[in-house]
Amino acid sequence: MGNTDSKLNFRKAVIQLTTKTQPVEATDDAFWDQFWADTATTVQDVFALVPAAEIRAVREESPSNLATLCYKAVEKLVQAAESGCPSEKEKQIVLNCSRMLTRILPYIFEDQDWRGFFWSTVPGAGRAVTDEMDDDGARPLAESLLLAMADLLFCPDFTVNSHRRGPDMQTIDSFTVMITLLRLLLTCFSEAMYLPPSSDNTILNPWVSFFCSTENRHALPLFTSLVNVVCAYDPVGYGIPYNHLLFSDYREQLVEQAVQILIVTLEDQGPVMALSCCCYIIFLSVSLQSVGPDNLFVNYLSRIHREEDYDFVLKGLARLLVNPLMQTYLPNSTKKIQFHQELLVLFWKLCDFNKKFLFFVLKSSDVLDILVPILFYLNDARADQSRVGLMHIGVFILLLLSGERNFGVRLNKPYSVHVPMDIPVFTGTHADLLIVVFHKIITSGHQRLQPLFDCLLTIVVNVSPYLKSLSMVAANKLLHLLEAFSTNWFLFSASQNHHLVFFLLEAFNNIIQYQFDGNCNLVYAIIRKRNLFHQLANLPSDPASIQKALLRKRKSPDAITGISRTSSQETVSMEGSRPAVPAEPGTLKTSLVAIPAIDKLTEKSQVSEDGTMISVLKMEHSHASHHTPQADHTTQADHTPQAVHGAIVGASDTESVLSWKCKLPLQTIMRLLQVLVPQVEKICIDKGLTDESEILKFLQHGTLVGLLPVPHPILIRKYQANAGTAMWFRTYMWGVVYLRNVDPPIWYDTDVRLFEIQKM
């Protein structure tokens, strides 16, 4: 039968589903075989020949036909899994059934009355005729489908050697089947898209819960295979220029599907269960000798423990994340992957669920191989409102990392990679890179990034006690931010705006108290901008002055953020960089739920002398009955938890101007200015100095030992998981999956409720 005739018969069968006045019997194999046995349709054919309107028409007008179509397709997949698909015809049936179900399932999920259909037991459905179970013991259709797909993914002819290079027909065929099955699996999991956002984390995705349970005998090999497929992938291959234009890279499609399956399955945790075994499979060794989540994928992820496995995963993710940044002499000669957002979510989950992996990442400067591409993505996406989710996930990862001391220490490594970004050229460390990029985001990003300002400056505060030597460029950027955020009209225009000043002052205090030696650039910048600190100390708080400042806001061209877009000694951007640009008109984006405030995102911990962290909240509770601090008596020499909370943590309070003004932690900086300004002025007069380098040399050899207040305790704000961020991750993750799957457009024009699809 010709391909055209085959498609014609397929189309006729689709039409008959909606037009037959009587339900088609399940035993009418001649009719049902038209959908999978007598045709060789591509996935694009199926989506074109089965229009959305007709699927909905069958659902409403011929529900029994739709039900039969679903369970007959599942039955075929179950039979194929049991037979092992020895013939080409059976492989084609698997492809056709999988594509048909991928097309239909979203329309099942969008209708609340149909959503439970796959979890009902249909007599005779979902099992081969040789099955000895009676109908009373029949599995729900969803379970039969999921188990059949798990079996099919391990059929000998369908498995893929993750290290095989170069195309051949057998490999391409294997990739096609694997991609098709994984696409159907992802579609099954997508029921979550059709439920409205909810902060109730006890509501689990039944498809994910079953697939990742002990009912699935392939759970462990599936998990390890998915991780290996992703982390072993090298998009450059042998590095032959333009090879991606000569050959179709089926492996990239497989990796995209694999990473999407991973992040979706790792989202559902479930209750706790006990396991006791140790499995070594492919590359990963997974220890399962303690209690963990009921979701086996989450459980396995949390149990990876060998350093060679950590190294394999970290290097694989870093290689893929850095791929879009690669520069070549020949334009567009190297393949650039597009699934970096999914990789960032996977990295987040690895760090969140497996703390030993997080510590491994931070143990060496390998963490910088993750940091640099994240900063590149943040800088590149800052003007594009369709990529606001990417901005959030990047900042969340850096917030998580910044809660660990080792991250701040690693930032002191010199930055020599020089990935092209439209940021000022500088010579310095990775800490300088981080600060310069953050400054660029704040000063030239779009308005919707303003809720992230607290997070960005919290990251700076967390790492500040460990920064040994900031460059002049980075020091000036920090002072420019203080200058912008400390203007009267900006401070008074919103109740939370003073937080940003508190964060910057805290960062300055940390560097002065703990890293004074080596930070002459920052000290010099503070001396040059000393009027900023005097203005803050003398901030007006009377109603008339506040009203005058707010009136000035209305006349300002930068009234949204209070940031000057052109100042702060802008220099020429790095060679080869391109400016950040807004989204193209018509670009689709998905809506996101609001992120919690920074005090809900983080938990404050005080670093003790031995390096351990003590929760400030617990300290406050233990001292609450003994003393209530007075803000105007707080000094930086006071080590009580109340002093820490008053002087340093005051930024998290939502207070009136009269109350937060007196908590501004200015004592250390004022003492520095009191000591150094006269010395600098004297040496300039005595020696007639006008050269900045001579002044820096003087400051470099200066000391404030014994002159500053007693160092305050280091305070770290560690990321704290909560229902708000869990909901944000769910909407962001599924939004990425929705937008990335456009060929075929699996969920396009269906009634998705988890988020809104918006056009720029």
Side-chain angles (χ1 to χ4, degrees), residues 81 147 150-151 211 213-222 296 300:
L147 293 178
D151 287 341
F211 190 77
S213 73
T214 52
E215 293 277 349
N216 182 0
R217 64 192 177 101
H218 297 297
L220 180 55
L222 269 169
L296 292 182
Y300 298 151

Side-chain angles (χ1 to χ4, degrees), residues 260-458:
Q260 289 175 4
I261 292 289
L262 275 174
I263 63 174
V264 166
T265 50
L266 292 170
E267 199 262 341
D268 226 48
Q269 292 189 55
V272 169
M273 66 179 297
L275 292 171
S276 58
C277 67
C278 185
C279 293
Y280 292 82
I281 183 162
I282 315 179
F283 294 108
L284 298 179
S285 167
V286 180
S287 171
L288 308 172
Q289 297 180 341
S290 59
V291 173
D294 198 12
N295 179 319
L296 292 182
F297 278 31
V298 174
N299 205 304
Y300 298 151
L301 185 75
S302 67
R303 305 282 177 248
I304 299 172
H305 62 286
R306 293 190 308 180
E307 291 215 345
E308 54 264 45
D309 293 334
Y310 291 153
D311 187 65
F312 167 72
V313 171
L314 180 58
K315 281 186 167 53
L317 293 179
R319 178 174 58 251
L320 293 172
L321 285 171
V322 82
N323 166 262
L325 287 61
M326 293 176 65
Q327 301 299 306
T328 55
Y329 291 108
L330 299 172
N332 303 317
S333 62
T334 302
K335 171 184 277 292
K336 301 291 178 72
I337 64 162
Q338 301 296 320
F339 52 92
H340 48 275
Q341 292 190 87
E342 295 96 317
L343 292 169
L344 291 175
V345 175
L346 179 59
F347 179 77
W348 169 271
K349 291 182 181 298
L350 279 159
C351 292
D352 195 27
F353 291 144
N354 192 320
K355 294 306 177 188
K356 289 182 180 178
F357 175 77
L358 173 61
F359 299 145
F360 176 84
V361 169
L362 296 167
K363 191 172 70 170
S364 72
S365 57
D366 287 349
V367 66
L368 303 177
D369 296 333
I370 300 292
L371 170 71
V372 171
I374 288 177
L375 291 177
F376 173 86
Y377 295 134
L378 292 178
N379 188 62
D380 187 59
R382 69 181 190 273
D384 185 345
Q385 292 203 29
S386 72
R387 293 195 282 171
V388 68
L390 170 60
M391 298 293 297
H392 280 71
I393 183 66
V395 171
F396 284 161
I397 289 173
L398 298 184
L399 180 63
L400 179 71
L401 295 176
S402 74
E404 306 297 332
R405 174 186 177 276
N406 273 358
F407 182 66
V409 173
R410 302 299 165 212
L411 291 178
N412 290 305
K413 184 177 180 180
Y415 176 65
S416 56
V417 180
H418 297 304
V419 172
M421 301 188 214
D422 63 328
I423 56 174
V425 177
F426 69 93
T427 301
T429 66
H430 285 76
D432 297 306
L433 175 67
L434 180 138
I435 289 169
V436 170
V437 170
F438 282 11
H439 176 271
K440 198 79 173 181
I441 292 168
I442 292 172
T443 59
S444 63
H446 57 78
Q447 181 184 352
R448 291 187 62 204
L449 298 182
Q450 194 162 356
L452 284 176
F453 289 2
D454 277 354
C455 288
L456 293 171
L457 294 188
T458 296

Side-chain angles (χ1 to χ4, degrees), residues 158-165 171 174-175 229 251 254:
F158 293 170
T159 55
V160 174
N161 183 344
S162 64
H163 289 292
R164 186 184 297 165
R165 294 180 184 271
T171 304
S174 299
F175 278 120
V229 163
R251 186 175 279 108
L254 179 65

Side-chain angles (χ1 to χ4, degrees), residues 371-663:
L371 170 71
V372 171
I374 288 177
L375 291 177
F376 173 86
Y377 295 134
L378 292 178
N379 188 62
D380 187 59
R382 69 181 190 273
D384 185 345
Q385 292 203 29
S386 72
R387 293 195 282 171
V388 68
L390 170 60
M391 298 293 297
H392 280 71
I393 183 66
V395 171
F396 284 161
I397 289 173
L398 298 184
L399 180 63
L400 179 71
L401 295 176
S402 74
E404 306 297 332
R405 174 186 177 276
N406 273 358
F407 182 66
V409 173
R410 302 299 165 212
L411 291 178
N412 290 305
K413 184 177 180 180
Y415 176 65
S416 56
V417 180
H418 297 304
V419 172
M421 301 188 214
D422 63 328
I423 56 174
V425 177
F426 69 93
T427 301
T429 66
H430 285 76
D432 297 306
L433 175 67
L434 180 138
I435 289 169
V436 170
V437 170
F438 282 11
H439 176 271
K440 198 79 173 181
I441 292 168
I442 292 172
T443 59
S444 63
H446 57 78
Q447 181 184 352
R448 291 187 62 204
L449 298 182
Q450 194 162 356
L452 284 176
F453 289 2
D454 277 354
C455 288
L456 293 171
L457 294 188
T458 296
I459 294 164
V460 173
V461 173
N462 282 349
V463 302
S464 61
Y466 313 110
L467 305 184
K468 294 184 179 297
S469 179
L470 288 182
S471 69
M472 186 62 78
V473 172
N476 284 334
K477 297 304 181 189
L478 289 177
L479 267 296
H480 176 235
L481 291 179
L482 181 68
E483 183 178 10
F485 291 143
S486 62
T487 57
N488 290 358
W489 65 262
F490 182 74
L491 278 174
F492 301 146
S493 61
S495 61
Q496 307 288 319
N497 282 358
H498 64 280
H499 294 186
L500 303 172
V501 171
F502 272 83
F503 287 136
L504 286 165
L505 292 177
E506 186 178 341
F508 294 150
N509 288 339
N510 284 339
I511 294 173
I512 293 167
Q513 288 281 20
Y514 292 98
Q515 301 291 346
F516 180 81
D517 296 337
N519 270 297
C520 58
N521 290 323
L522 179 65
V523 173
Y524 179 65
I526 288 174
I527 291 174
R528 284 186 60 225
K529 293 287 187 179
R530 56 190 176 276
N531 285 344
L532 289 178
F533 303 97
H534 291 298
Q535 289 167 12
L536 279 171
N538 297 296
L539 197 68
S541 53
D542 59 286
S545 299
I546 293 174
Q547 191 61 32
K548 186 177 179 182
L550 292 175
L551 286 173
R552 195 176 306 146
K553 172 189 176 183
R554 296 171 191 166
K555 302 173 185 178
S556 169
D558 294 304
I560 294 173
T561 62
I563 300 293
S564 168
R565 304 286 177 176
T566 56
S567 62
S568 183
Q569 301 83 40
E570 283 296 338
T571 56
V572 177
S573 292
M574 299 175 70
E575 184 179 353
S577 65
R578 57 187 179 88
V581 293
E584 291 284 337
T587 301
L588 292 180
K589 71 184 186 75
T590 56
S591 63
L592 293 165
V593 296
I595 61 170
I598 191 65
D599 55 346
K600 299 291 192 299
L601 270 177
T602 56
E603 180 181 73
K604 306 174 190 71
S605 298
Q606 182 178 312
V607 181
S608 60
E609 292 183 3
D610 63 358
T612 58
M613 293 192 184
I614 307 167
S615 170
V616 170
L617 192 61
K618 293 175 183 174
M619 295 171 66
E620 288 172 353
H621 286 321
S622 64
H623 288 78
S625 59
H626 301 296
H627 178 64
T628 302
Q630 296 297 320
D632 54 344
H633 292 153
T634 300
T635 67
Q636 295 233 17
D638 189 353
H639 279 211
T640 64
Q642 292 83 1
V644 175
H645 187 68
I648 303 176
V649 196
S652 65
D653 299 331
T654 54
E655 308 157 309
S656 66
V657 175
L658 287 169
S659 59
W660 63 252
K661 177 190 170 184
C662 55
K663 290 184 179 181

